[in-house]
Structure formats: structure tokens, C-alpha cells
């Protein structure tokens, strides 16, 4: 999320000199509330399983991660990240029976989601190399042609591979959403710390309802907010995977309410 926008919002709100109720404050921040599809996290590992090493796999690995990073979070430390192991089984040149030169790539991968579900994806690509014979493969004059050929073959291989892989990644991420929501709590006995924790939980209740329409039990029945922690929240409502508070948007309103904006990740039960 763009924290610069939240900082700007904070400066605008705090710059007002008149008294604000929580409702007046909420009218200023409500435009920033939203729900979005979760951007799946993937922990990617490459393995070189070739008998003959041939072409370096560095180019293939870098291009693969570049393509994935457009739609996914790569090598996340999140415990909910997909674990993807990509084995390069072949990436080299070979000569056909008719003496034509080809470049071939074979990928085999195992995908494990956060629940331990396993799926496999396999893809291969053959690409004919024009006007070059195996015996002239290492000639300096062919270096640029081979560079172009390798790049095109790798692009085609990854395109084929991702067409098979992405439906599995998307299926897993359809059960998770992210949300930014507002929460508030009345300050009692000047206990700001407790009011803040109650406001956070209020925001998580709103996030749960707005993402999946799941109403969490009454907060007074669920937990002693004097002892609330992120771990406790995970226990009492397993579909809240994580959350963070936009500190620049915390506010104690003049009518005695503590207000927060919270970003959370919510999983469908």
C-alpha cells in the first residue's frame, strides 16, 4: 500500500484545529477503505538436474522470476507462501538424425501450498537453430545468433510452463483477500493501550465481514483485550492471517474514541 498517501492524509487531518468526533474523522479516511484480491507469495528454488550442464540456467532463472514478479510476490518469508521447486532437466543443444541443430529445454516443478497440497507441472520446448551445424556450434561468428536463439527458446519454454502453472497459483489465491478497514473503540479509565487493541480488533471484524461476509462473534465474548496479541487473534478467528496498523492514521478523537486504519490478510474459511 502507498504509505505516502496515508502520511499525507494524516498531515491533512491532524492539521485541522477544530474538534473532531470519530464520525467526522471517519468521513475523512473512509475513502481509503478497500478490499483487494490477494497477491500470492511464492518461494522459488531452482535445481539443475541435467546430466550435461550445457547452457547456463542463470538466464532462465532470472527471466522466470522477472515474469512471476509482475503478478506475485517472489521469495516471500510469509508462512503462507507457495513453495515452488523448479528442476531444469534439460537445457542444451542436440543434433537430429537429419543433422539439423536444435536447442531444447525441459522443466519439471513441484508446487506445495501452505496447507501441504502438492501439484506438479512439466513443460518442454524444442527450437530449430537455422544455418548452424553442431560442429560449428562454438564458432565465434555464431555467438550472436545463438544468443538470440537461446533467448527465444527460453521465452517460449517459460510461456508454455506458466500457462500450466498459473491456474494452480490463482486457484490457491482465490481464497485469500487483503483489506484496509477502519476501527474504533471508546477509551475507558484513560487506558489508551487497551482502547487501541480494541480498535484494531474492530477493524479486523470489519475486514472479515467485507471480504467474505463472515461475522466474527461479539468482541466482548472472544478475548480479553487487555491481553490481546497477534497470536491470540489468529487463534480466535483463524481466517485473519496477518495485519498491520497504519501508525500515521492513529487518532484519539475529541469524543473519546481511539481510531485506527488496519491492513489485513483474510482467508476464507
Amino acid at each position: 500500500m502507498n504509505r505516502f498517501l496515508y502520511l499525507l492524509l494524516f498531515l491533512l487531518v491532524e492539521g485541522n484545529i477544530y474538534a473532531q468526533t470519530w464520525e467526522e474523522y471517519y468521513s475523512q479516511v473512509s475513502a481509503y477503505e478497500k478490499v483487494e484480491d490477494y497477491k500470492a507469495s511464492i518461494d522459488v528454488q531452482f535445481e539443475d538436474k541435467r546430466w550435461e550442464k550445457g547452457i547456463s540456467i542463470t538466464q532462465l532463472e532470472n527471466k522466470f522470476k522477472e515474469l512471476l514478479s509482475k503478478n506475485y510476490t517472489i521469495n516471500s518469508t510469509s508462512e503462507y507462501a507457495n513453495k515452488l521447486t523448479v528442476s531444469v532437466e534439460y537445457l542444451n543443444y542436440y543434433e537430429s538424425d537429419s543433422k539439423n541443430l536444435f536447442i531444447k529445454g525441459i522443466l519439471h516443478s513441484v508446487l506445495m501450498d501452505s496447507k501441504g497440497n502438492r501439484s506438479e507441472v512439466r513443460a518442454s520446448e524444442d527450437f530449430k537453430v537455422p544455418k548452424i551445424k553442431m560442429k560449428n556450434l562454438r564458432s565465434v561468428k555464431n555467438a550472436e545468433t545463438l544468443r538470440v536463439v537461446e533467448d527465444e527458446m527460453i521465452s517460449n519454454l517459460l510461456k508454455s510452463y506458466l500457462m500450466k502453472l498459473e491456474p494452480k497459483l490463482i486457484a490457491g489465491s482465490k481464497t485469500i483477500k487483503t483489506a484496509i478497514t477502519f476501527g474504533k473503540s471508546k477509551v475507558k479509565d484513560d487506558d489508551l493501550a487497551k482502547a487501541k487493541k480494541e480498535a484494531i480488533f474492530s477493524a479486523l471484524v470489519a475486514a472479515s465481514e467485507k471480504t467474505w461476509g463472515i461475522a466474527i462473534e461479539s468482541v466482548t465474548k472472544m478475548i480479553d483485550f487487555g491481553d490481546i496479541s497477534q497470536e491470540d487473534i489468529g487463534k480466535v478467528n483463524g481466517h485473519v492471517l496477518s495485519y498491520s496498523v497504519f501508525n500515521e492514521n492513529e487518532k484519539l478523537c475529541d469524543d473519546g474514541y481511539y481510531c485506527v486504519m488496519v491492513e489485513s490478510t483474510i482467508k476464507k474459511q
Side-chain angles (χ1 to χ4, degrees):
M1 300 297 172
N2 192 333
R3 287 183 176 270
F4 173 77
L5 292 177
Y6 284 93
L7 180 58
L8 179 60
L9 176 64
F10 166 75
L11 293 174
L12 290 173
V13 171
E14 291 299 309
N16 292 328
I17 59 174
Y18 61 87
Q20 279 190 308
T21 65
W22 76 263
E23 292 173 313
E24 290 169 333
Y25 179 70
Y26 178 63
S27 70
Q28 294 177 312
V29 300
S30 59
Y32 293 88
E33 287 193 300
K34 61 181 176 180
V35 173
E36 294 181 327
D37 290 331
Y38 177 67
K39 187 176 182 181
S41 300
I42 309 171
D43 181 8
V44 183
Q45 300 294 328
F46 268 77
E47 297 180 344
D48 193 343
K49 296 288 188 178
R50 298 174 295 172
W51 287 99
E52 296 180 1
K53 298 305 180 185
I55 301 169
S56 170
I57 70 171
T58 301
Q59 180 185 357
L60 183 147
E61 182 176 354
N62 291 341
K63 192 172 186 65
F64 176 68
K65 291 179 178 179
E66 178 187 342
L67 290 172
L68 272 188
S69 64
K70 293 179 180 179
N71 297 308
Y72 306 96
T73 301
I74 304 301
N75 291 340
S76 167
T77 57
S78 169
E79 61 181 297
Y80 305 104
N82 296 276
K83 308 295 183 183
L84 179 65
T85 302
V86 182
S87 298
V88 182
E89 296 186 345
Y90 195 94
L91 187 62
N92 210 346
Y93 293 93
Y94 71 91
E95 189 176 55
S96 68
D97 293 339
S98 58
K99 302 301 180 181
N100 290 313
L101 183 64
F102 284 82
I103 180 173
K104 183 182 185 73
I106 302 176
L107 299 179
H108 177 257
S109 65
V110 176
L111 177 67
M112 300 282 288
D113 66 20
S114 60
K115 291 186 176 181
N117 298 315
R118 173 189 171 106
S119 57
E120 298 186 28
V121 175
R122 187 179 181 86
S124 63
E125 184 74 21
D126 286 84
F127 197 90
K128 185 177 180 181
V129 182
K131 301 179 182 179
I132 298 178
K133 300 297 183 182
M134 180 65 84
K135 64 181 180 180
N136 299 321
L137 184 61
R138 303 305 172 193
S139 174
V140 175
K141 68 178 183 179
N142 295 326
E144 180 59 21
T145 299
L146 295 178
R147 186 194 65 77
V148 173
V149 166
E150 289 175 11
D151 185 67
E152 189 166 354
M153 190 283 294
I154 287 174
S155 295
N156 289 344
L157 175 63
L158 291 178
K159 180 179 179 181
S160 173
Y161 173 70
L162 286 172
M163 285 180 65
K164 298 177 180 179
L165 175 67
E166 284 202 289
K168 301 179 185 299
L169 294 172
I170 293 171
S173 64
K174 282 184 177 178
T175 60
I176 302 177
K177 291 183 181 292
T178 60
I180 294 179
T181 46
F182 170 84
K184 73 179 191 306
S185 178
K186 185 76 171 180
V187 179
K188 299 176 182 178
D189 300 322
D190 295 323
D191 193 341
L192 293 180
K194 183 177 180 181
K196 176 179 177 179
K197 292 171 183 178
E198 291 177 341
I200 291 171
F201 203 85
S202 171
L204 293 177
V205 170
S208 179
E209 294 174 346
K210 289 183 178 182
T211 52
W212 302 111
I214 303 170
I216 301 175
E217 296 178 51
S218 168
V219 293
T220 57
K221 295 179 180 179
M222 298 191 67
I223 196 164
D224 176 4
F225 283 105
D227 299 319
I228 194 170
S229 68
Q230 185 165 340
E231 290 72 25
D232 291 330
I233 288 175
K235 292 175 184 176
V236 297
N237 57 46
H239 53 283
V240 178
L241 301 182
S242 63
Y243 74 92
S244 61
V245 180
F246 290 103
N247 296 325
E248 59 267 29
N249 288 110
E250 292 181 40
K251 181 176 177 65
L252 175 59
C253 293
D254 292 283
D255 55 355
Y257 278 89
Y258 200 99
C259 300
V260 295
M261 294 291 285
V262 175
E263 180 180 14
S264 56
T265 304
I266 312 292
K267 183 175 178 64
K268 187 177 183 181
Q269 293 289 68

